[in-house]
Amino acid sequence: MQGAMKVASTTGHARFAKEQRHSQESKKENLSSTPSGKKRPIANFGLRSNLEDISCGMRDPGRSRYLPPAAGSCFNLSSRTEDKTTRGRAALGGMQAGITLGWTSPILPYLTSSESFLPELVEGQISWITSLLALGAIAGAVPAGKIADQIGRKWAILLTAIPFATCWVALLTTGNIISMYAARFIGGIGAGAACVLVPVYAGEIAQASIRGALGAFFPLLFSSGILFSYVAGAYCSYVIFNAACCAILVPFVLGVLFMPESPMWLVQKDRKAQAAKVLTILRGPHYDVAGEIAVLQDDVDRMTNASGGFKDLVGTKAGRKAAITCVGLMCFQQLCGVDAVLFYTVNIFQAANSTIDPFLATIIIGLTEVVMTIFVATVIDRFGRKPLLVISGTMMTICLSVLGYYFRLKDGGSDVSTFGWLPLTSLALFNIVFSIGYGSVPFTVISEIFPPETKGVASSMSIVVHWSLVFVVTKLFPTMEDRMGQAATFWTFSCFTAASAIFAYFVVPETKGKTLQEIQTKLKRRQKSKTKYQVEPV
C-alpha cells in the first residue's frame, strides 16, 4: 500500500500546490512549518577554539587573532579569494540545514490534503513532524565539538552529510508517519551539528581583517536554503522536491573533500608543518606564516589552561549576571514566537483569508530573510547591541499586536477583505525587525561577555536552551491556536516581545567596542555605582 501511495504522490503534491495558489476557499485546521534563518545558534560544545573571535561570523573588535600581512606583501586578493572559496564550501552545510528546516512549510499542506499518501493527520502528529527536528538538533549539536576535536573540523563537517542523506532517503522511501518522525529527527541531528561546526571552522580559517565580511556566508546560505525549500516545495512534486534536496548534498560533499583542515586544530595536534602549508594556501606565499603559528600556539596554550565548568560560570557576580543575560536573550529570542510564526506561515495566511496566495507570501518571507541576512552582516558592528535589541523588541510588539487585532476583527465577523494585505505586511516587518535585533545580536553578545574559561560551557548552555525552546514553542503553537484563538496567541507573543525590550534596556550590558576586561568590570558593578562617586570628596 505504501509504495502505491508514494508513486501517486509524485504528481499529487504539485497539483495540490497549484490548486492552493489559485483557490483559498478550502481552509483546513492543519498546520505547516517554516523555520527561521536568523538565528541559527552558534555554540561550542567542547571545541577547543578561540571563541572570542567567533561572534555568529562577526568580527569581535579588539581581539584579532591573526597578524597583519608583512609590509609590501601582495597576497590580499588571492588569499581573500581562497578564504571565500573555502568558507563557501563549508557554508553549503548551512544551506542543507536551512533546507531541512524549511522543508515543512510547503509540504505540510500537501500531507494534510486528500491527495497525501499518508492517512489523515491529526493536530498532534502535525506538531511532531514540525518540532522533532529541534530535538534532533540538540542531539547533533552536543557531541559535535568533541567529535571535531578528535577527527578534525573538516571531517566532522563531512560527517554531517550522513544524517542529511539519511533524512532525504527516508523521506523519499517512507510511507508511514513513524518513518517520517525518524527522518525529521535525523535531519535535525545534521542541522544542529552543522550550525555548530561550520561557523567555528569558518572563524578559524579566516583572516581577522575580513572575518566579519566572510562570516556572512553561513547565515546567507542558511537563509538561501530556507528560500529554496519554499520555492521548490511550492512548485515541485513531493518526490522531485526531496530528490532535489538530496542532490544538493553532492556539491557539499565534493566541496568539503577539497577543503583544508583548520590551522588551529593542526596546531592543537602539534602538526605545525601542516598548519604552515594550510596558512600559505589561505594567506598567500608572502604572509608571515611563522608569526601566525606562534599566535595560534599561544591561543592553544591559553585554551588548554582555561577549562572552567558550570561552578566557575556562576561563582562570581559577573559570571552570574552574564549567565542571566545569556539565558534571558535565548529565552526571549524564542518566546517572541518567531519560529512558531515562521514554521506555520502557510497556515497563518490561509486562516487569515489573505488576498495574497499563501505559497507566494511564504516565498516573500523567505526572500526577506535572505535580504536581511546581507543587511545585518553590514550593520551589526556599526550600532550598539542594546539599541538594536530594544528597537527589535519594540517593533516586534507592534507587529504582533496588529496581527492579533486583525484576527480579532476577523473572528468577530468583521469584513477584513480591505486589509487582506495586512498579514503579509505584519509578518514581513516582524521578520525584518527580528533579524536586525533578536535574530543576530544575542549570539554576538554571548560571545563577548564570557571569559575564555567559561565560554565553552556558556555556549553549550545557550544552544541547549535555544533548541529546547524551539521545540516547546513549535509543539505548543497549534494547541495555543486551538484553545486560545489566534488573536490571543499573537497577543501572548507580543507580551513576551515587550518584555524582551525591557530586559534588553535594563539588563543587557553594552558590549560594542569594549574589551573583555571592561565588560567584566561593568558586569561586577552595581547599577547605582554609576552615579555614586560623580564628585570627588573634599
Side-chain angles (χ1 to χ4, degrees):
M1 179 188 74
Q2 322 285 13
M5 298 171 82
K6 179 66 66 177
V7 172
S9 74
T10 59
T11 58
H13 170 58
R15 184 168 61 254
F16 171 77
K18 184 176 180 181
E19 292 172 358
Q20 285 290 304
R21 289 191 296 271
H22 290 83
S23 173
Q24 299 175 35
E25 296 178 357
S26 71
K27 292 177 293 188
K28 299 176 173 57
E29 294 297 326
N30 305 304
L31 308 167
S32 63
S33 74
T34 303
S36 169
K38 56 237 158 4
K39 52 174 249 26
R40 291 305 156 204
I42 297 170
N44 183 328
F45 287 92
L47 280 168
R48 296 173 62 185
S49 166
N50 190 349
L51 286 181
E52 296 168 68
D53 293 314
I54 301 170
S55 174
C56 280
M58 300 300 173
R59 180 162 55 93
D60 188 0
R63 297 188 183 96
S64 176
R65 179 197 314 157
Y66 299 130
L67 298 179
S73 69
C74 56
F75 81 99
N76 283 336
L77 182 60
S78 61
S79 66
R80 292 187 182 196
T81 301
E82 181 63 33
D83 273 355
K84 291 178 181 178
T85 302
T86 302
R87 186 173 287 206
R89 296 169 188 165
L92 285 175
M95 186 172 186
Q96 269 295 314
I99 292 173
T100 307
L101 270 73
W103 179 86
T104 49
S105 179
I107 288 298
L108 278 183
Y110 161 68
L111 293 178
T112 55
S113 71
S114 59
E115 298 179 357
S116 171
F117 59 88
L118 292 175
E120 184 177 355
L121 299 178
V122 298
E123 178 185 294
Q125 292 173 318
I126 296 168
S127 63
W128 278 116
I129 293 175
T130 302
S131 58
L132 272 173
L133 183 135
L135 294 183
I138 297 176
V142 171
K146 293 295 183 182
I147 295 174
D149 276 341
Q150 292 297 320
I151 67 174
R153 315 302 198 229
K154 169 183 175 179
W155 299 110
I157 292 174
L158 184 62
L159 283 180
T160 62
I162 296 178
F164 283 135
T166 303
C167 170
W168 301 127
V169 171
L171 290 174
L172 279 168
T173 58
T174 187
N176 58 79
I177 191 66
I178 299 301
S179 299
M180 190 165 288
Y181 288 163
R184 291 291 292 163
F185 181 85
I186 295 172
I189 293 176
C195 287
V196 171
L197 296 173
V198 175
V200 170
Y201 172 82
E204 290 181 351
I205 67 168
Q207 187 188 2
S209 61
I210 56 174
R211 190 176 303 128
L214 294 185
F217 271 101
F218 178 81
L220 179 60
L221 285 178
F222 185 92
S223 301
S224 299
I226 295 175
L227 180 60
F228 173 85
S229 286
Y230 293 172
V231 175
Y235 293 98
C236 296
S237 70
Y238 178 87
V239 170
I240 293 177
F241 176 38
N242 285 296
C245 294
C246 189
I248 294 181
L249 274 175
V250 176
F252 168 61
V253 172
L254 294 178
V256 172
L257 289 175
F258 290 98
M259 289 189 330
E261 184 53 84
S262 162
M264 170 70 78
W265 184 80
L266 292 172
V267 173
Q268 287 177 0
K269 299 302 180 181
D270 201 25
R271 294 156 63 176
K272 295 182 181 178
Q274 210 170 336
K277 292 181 180 179
V278 171
L279 288 173
T280 301
I281 296 173
L282 293 175
R283 309 285 189 260
H286 302 288
Y287 187 73
D288 182 14
V289 172
E292 183 163 339
I293 291 291
V295 174
L296 291 176
Q297 185 62 60
D298 289 341
D299 287 343
V300 169
D301 294 339
R302 179 171 55 82
M303 295 304 297
T304 301
N305 297 326
S307 56
F310 185 76
K311 291 184 179 180
D312 300 301
L313 179 65
V314 299
T316 64
K317 180 180 178 180
R320 288 190 294 272
K321 189 169 182 180
I324 292 173
T325 301
C326 169
V327 174
L329 288 174
M330 288 295 99
C331 287
F332 283 119
Q333 187 185 64
Q334 288 306 312
L335 293 178
C336 71
V338 62
D339 279 328
V341 169
L342 295 177
F343 269 52
Y344 298 101
T345 308
V346 175
N347 177 257
I348 292 173
F349 285 127
Q350 289 175 338
N353 286 337
S354 174
T355 56
I356 302 174
D357 166 55
F359 288 92
L360 176 60
T362 302
I363 292 172
I364 293 175
I365 295 295
L367 185 60
T368 303
E369 182 73 23
V370 174
V371 173
M372 288 308 302
T373 299
I374 300 173
F375 175 76
V376 169
T378 62
V379 305
I380 190 171
D381 280 336
R382 300 183 183 181
F383 299 94
R385 316 312 188 210
K386 286 171 70 79
L388 290 177
L389 290 172
V390 173
I391 293 172
S392 177
T394 303
M395 292 302 297
M396 285 192 297
T397 303
I398 296 174
C399 294
L400 293 177
S401 298
V402 170
L403 186 61
Y405 187 67
Y406 174 90
F407 277 110
R408 179 64 179 270
L409 291 177
K410 173 183 171 295
D411 295 340
S414 301
D415 182 13
V416 294
S417 59
T418 307
F419 306 100
W421 49 268
L422 190 59
L424 175 59
T425 304
S426 298
L427 290 184
L429 184 58
F430 173 87
N431 196 30
I432 290 172
V433 296
F434 174 82
S435 298
I436 66 174
Y438 270 92
S440 55
V441 174
F443 303 112
T444 302
V445 172
I446 290 171
S447 72
E448 294 172 336
I449 63 176
F450 291 101
E453 60 269 18
T454 59
K455 196 179 291 285
V457 65
S459 300
S460 301
M461 178 177 65
S462 67
I463 198 77
V464 171
V465 170
H466 175 91
W467 283 111
S468 298
L469 287 175
V470 170
F471 170 77
V472 171
V473 172
T474 55
K475 187 71 174 70
L476 293 181
F477 180 73
T479 304
M480 293 173 64
E481 275 195 318
D482 182 57
R483 299 185 181 181
M484 298 169 53
Q486 290 171 318
T489 298
F490 288 114
W491 283 340
T492 300
F493 288 141
S494 70
C495 291
F496 283 116
T497 56
S500 72
I502 298 173
F503 177 83
Y505 185 80
F506 288 103
V507 179
V508 178
E510 181 55 74
T511 61
K512 179 180 180 293
K514 292 182 171 59
T515 65
L516 176 62
Q517 290 74 19
E518 291 173 336
I519 295 172
Q520 291 296 302
T521 300
K522 189 172 183 178
L523 289 172
K524 293 175 184 177
R525 195 170 53 198
R526 292 182 181 272
Q527 192 72 16
K528 62 181 181 180
S529 67
K530 293 181 179 180
T531 57
K532 187 174 181 180
Y533 298 110
Q534 291 295 323
V535 180
E536 291 185 5
V538 177

